[in-house]
Every structure is written in C-alpha cells, then in structure tokens.
Amino acid sequence: MQTLAKLIYPAQCLTCDEMIEVARGLCPKCWSHTPFIVDPPCDACGRPLIGEAQEGDLCDDCRANPRLWDRGRAAMLYAENGRSMVLKFKHGDRTDLARSAGAWLAQAATPLVCEDTLVAPVPLHWLRVLQRRYNQSALLAAQVSKLHGLDYCPDLLRRPVATRKLDGMTADQRHETVSGAIKVTPKRAKRIAGRHVLLIDDVMTTGATLTQCARVCLEAGASHISIAVLARVAREV
C-alpha cells in the first residue's frame, strides 16, 4: 500500500518540485543551499562561532551584552534556502513545513532540554493571528515538545499590544518597540514558578522579543530560561 501511495503521490522536495525518496525532506541541491548550523554555536544565541570553538563558548556580542536567558540554539542561519523556507512558512501558508522544521529545531534544542522543561512559543497579537490564521512559533513549539516529550503551554504568554513590524529597525528600536508588549497569561502563571522555560520562535535577529518573553517568565518565577529558534540572522543590526 505504501509503495502504491508513493507511485500515486511521489515525495517532493519541501522547497522545489524535485522528486525525492523521503517525504517531507529536501533534495540534494536545496539541502546544500540550506545553512544548517553544524559548527559549535554560541551557547547563548546559537550563532555559529568562527575559528576554534568549544561547546559552551559565547560569541563576542553575548560576552559584551549578556542575554537575559541562559542558553540558546538555532537550527539554521536566516540566509539562502533557510530564509526562503522561513518566509514561506511565516507568510505563505506553508504550515506543512512545521513538521520538518520542528524536527530540525528539536534536534538543535536537544542540549537545552531537561526533565522539567516547559515549552512555550513567542506569542502573536490576536490581530496578527487573525490575519495569518496561525502562529508559526506555536506550530514549531508543538513539534519540539512532542518530539522531546515535554510539557507544552501554547498560551503561556500573550501579546496584548499590537506592535509595529520590527523589520528594518535597529537593535535599540526593536527593544523599545516591544518593551512591555508581552505578558504572562494570568491563568497560566502558576505553571512557570520554579521551572525551566524553553521559548520557541521562528527567527532571531537582535533577540528583542525573546528578551521580553524571558523577562516576564523570570518575573513570574521561572528558575531559568532557554531559547530555540528555527533561524538565526547571522549578524545583529
């Protein structure tokens, strides 16, 4: 039956029309143009480190400006086919990408996972969800929690303030824009106290939004915070 299904519905690359052997995968060409992070990453922001580096090292930016969270990972860089997939996933109704992207992210996030981890997505304002019809970060978070068998709370955080899009802003402008825009959902606050919270997002540029998420979780009593993102912008702006 599976062989017949493959003949009728042959597997295709997630980002082009090339036929492939395994469903929900990438063809060799698209794989080669997807900048997965394989070198030792910065232990705080997930950016690949240059030169000789060891697990647990930090990049220069994270040394100079320590993050509010403890550790972070990214599955790929926001470039080439990585950028293309994120944009399709985020703005092109390609929710089918969540399963594979979530698996890549779950693998990248493995060093962050501990027994009492609570997984939560970066929230969207309800108007943005209405326009897009889904929160891409929540789809990723659901996959990460499922694959690692972790506790998942999709509405742990809320975004009552509809902020402007952050594209094109400097780091300072991003932090100012999202300041105070994210809150803990009151009825979920008791789930945070004393626990490790793993925050999931699709893309990290400066980390302004993740910083706000981490801040409110710490204020609610989280023991420590980690972050995992599908794609990491190579250099902050």
Side-chain angles (χ1 to χ4, degrees), residues 60-227:
D60 291 340
D61 289 338
C62 289
R63 286 198 197 95
N65 301 288
R67 302 291 181 177
L68 203 57
W69 58 83
D70 297 276
R71 304 181 72 193
R73 290 294 186 275
M76 63 183 70
L77 290 175
Y78 187 65
E80 299 182 86
N81 196 46
R83 181 177 184 275
S84 176
M85 281 194 289
V86 168
L87 292 176
K88 290 175 182 177
F89 180 39
K90 191 170 184 175
H91 301 296
D93 290 330
R94 288 291 307 276
T95 56
D96 61 293
L97 292 170
R99 186 166 178 178
S100 295
W104 298 330
L105 183 52
Q107 182 176 3
T110 298
L112 311 177
V113 172
C114 60
E115 185 177 353
D116 198 37
T117 298
L118 174 63
V119 180
V122 169
L124 290 179
H125 187 265
W126 68 269
L127 281 176
R128 191 67 56 80
V129 176
L130 191 64
Q131 293 168 354
R132 194 174 294 167
R133 299 187 299 281
Y134 59 92
N135 177 357
Q136 69 281 355
S137 298
L139 297 180
L140 291 171
Q143 286 293 312
V144 171
S145 62
K146 177 182 177 181
L147 292 171
H148 281 292
L150 301 173
D151 192 8
Y152 173 49
C153 188
D155 59 345
L156 186 72
L157 304 177
R158 60 192 180 96
R159 197 166 190 155
V161 179
T163 57
R164 294 177 295 156
K165 291 185 177 182
L166 303 181
D167 297 346
M169 292 186 184
T170 65
D172 289 342
Q173 289 171 332
R174 286 169 178 260
H175 282 278
E176 182 179 357
T177 299
V178 300
S179 178
I182 294 171
K183 308 289 184 182
V184 172
T185 303
K187 65 181 179 180
R188 305 301 186 199
K190 62 182 180 181
R191 298 183 65 176
I192 298 177
R195 299 186 67 179
H196 168 227
V197 178
L198 175 58
L199 299 170
I200 304 294
D201 205 0
D202 57 344
V203 180
M204 176 180 171
T205 303
T206 64
T209 302
L210 285 161
T211 295
Q212 291 302 312
C213 292
R215 176 173 286 112
V216 298
C217 286
L218 290 171
E219 290 172 351
S223 61
H224 59 292
I225 309 292
S226 297
I227 64 102

Side-chain angles (χ1 to χ4, degrees), residues 5-58:
K6 288 182 179 180
L7 291 174
I8 300 174
Y9 305 106
Q12 290 181 291
C13 174
L14 287 170
T15 55
C16 73
D17 295 328
E18 186 72 21
M19 299 300 178
I20 57 176
E21 291 294 326
V22 181
R24 294 181 293 274
L26 297 171
C27 69
K29 181 178 180 180
C30 289
W31 184 274
S32 68
H33 287 90
T34 304
F36 289 103
I37 296 174
V38 294
D39 294 326
C42 169
D43 200 48
C45 74
R47 176 190 295 141
L49 297 173
I50 299 174
E52 294 185 7
Q54 297 179 351
E55 192 75 20
D57 286 352
L58 299 178

